[in-house]
Amino acid sequence: MVLNERDSRHEQVLAAARQMMIAARTAPKGKGVDIIEIALIDGNDLTRLSNKMVAMVEEHGMKFFLRDADNILQAECVILIGTQQLSHGLNCSHCGYTTCESKPATVPCALNSIDVGIAIGSACAMAADLRLDTRVLFSAGLAAQRLGILNNCKQVFAIAISASSKNPFFDRKPKEENKQ
């Protein structure tokens, strides 16, 4: 049997992405409470995510969403990592408020933010071990959040994943809107 890497690359990347998801899941969590949500998207869902990112440029004017939307289309798949909102009741003041009760509901608990960051770091460390190219994208995470892909998550980040001869997430150039 001859198995050409090009013919099996997508399946190999998906298998590696699943390992990244496990690394994110097993990352340490504040007070041992797991409120992290993780999902993998590929295929048509990448196009849907990219289209949402392009549409969001009109809303807020952040042009780097256009470049990132193009990057999403160059990825084999994207992992989304988000956190639900949960106040841990520690009154630690890391969020900027003296007590958890005085913190507005729109302000995330600092421990929630730390948890999602550690999960992202664990997933990216696994990707590095597997020699995958990745890019953490706030922009794609926000678009995924707006699309409701990770239900009940208030902070979502995306990790674009590629296994190609040239890292598409490096040497990125700004992309301009089409002037039609």
Side-chain angles (χ1 to χ4, degrees):
M1 175 174 96
V2 175
L3 178 62
N4 187 310
E5 175 272 334
R6 293 177 193 274
D7 297 333
S8 64
R9 183 180 306 158
H10 186 69
E11 290 78 21
Q12 290 181 60
V13 171
L14 292 179
R18 288 182 184 96
Q19 289 182 314
M20 291 171 62
M21 293 169 69
I22 293 298
R25 174 63 58 214
T26 60
K29 313 291 187 299
K31 289 184 66 178
V33 178
D34 188 358
I35 55 170
I36 298 293
E37 296 297 330
I38 308 163
L40 183 149
I41 62 172
D42 72 345
N44 291 335
D45 287 318
L46 292 179
T47 303
R48 184 170 73 117
L49 181 61
S50 178
N51 289 343
K52 179 64 172 175
M53 293 167 70
V54 170
M56 288 174 69
V57 173
E58 269 190 48
E59 172 189 328
H60 52 56
M62 291 187 256
K63 303 271 188 207
F64 68 89
F65 273 56
L66 297 172
R67 176 201 60 207
D68 292 355
D70 188 47
N71 264 166
I72 291 299
L73 296 177
Q74 295 172 321
E76 287 283 330
C77 64
V78 168
I79 291 177
L80 301 171
I81 302 178
T83 180
Q84 300 170 14
Q85 288 283 75
L86 174 70
S87 177
H88 289 282
L90 294 176
N91 297 324
C92 65
S93 301
H94 278 312
C95 66
Y97 292 87
T98 308
T99 65
C100 296
E101 292 77 31
S102 64
K103 180 186 75 60
T106 56
V107 175
C109 171
L111 290 181
N112 296 173
S113 301
I114 292 166
D115 285 352
V116 78
I118 293 171
I120 291 166
S122 293
C124 288
M126 176 58 74
D129 290 346
L130 297 170
R131 304 303 179 256
L132 293 170
D133 294 325
T134 61
R135 183 78 179 211
V136 177
L137 298 167
F138 144 79
S139 55
L142 184 59
Q145 184 176 335
R146 297 272 176 88
L147 289 170
I149 296 173
L150 292 181
N151 293 332
N152 301 320
C153 285
K154 302 300 180 195
Q155 296 178 57
V156 178
F157 294 85
I159 305 172
I161 304 167
S162 174
S164 58
S165 57
K166 170 73 173 93
N167 183 344
F169 316 126
F170 192 74
D171 296 333
R172 304 179 320 148
K173 301 201 178 0
K175 185 175 166 105
E176 294 296 322
E177 290 178 277
N178 292 337
K179 308 283 185 198
Q180 296 178 352

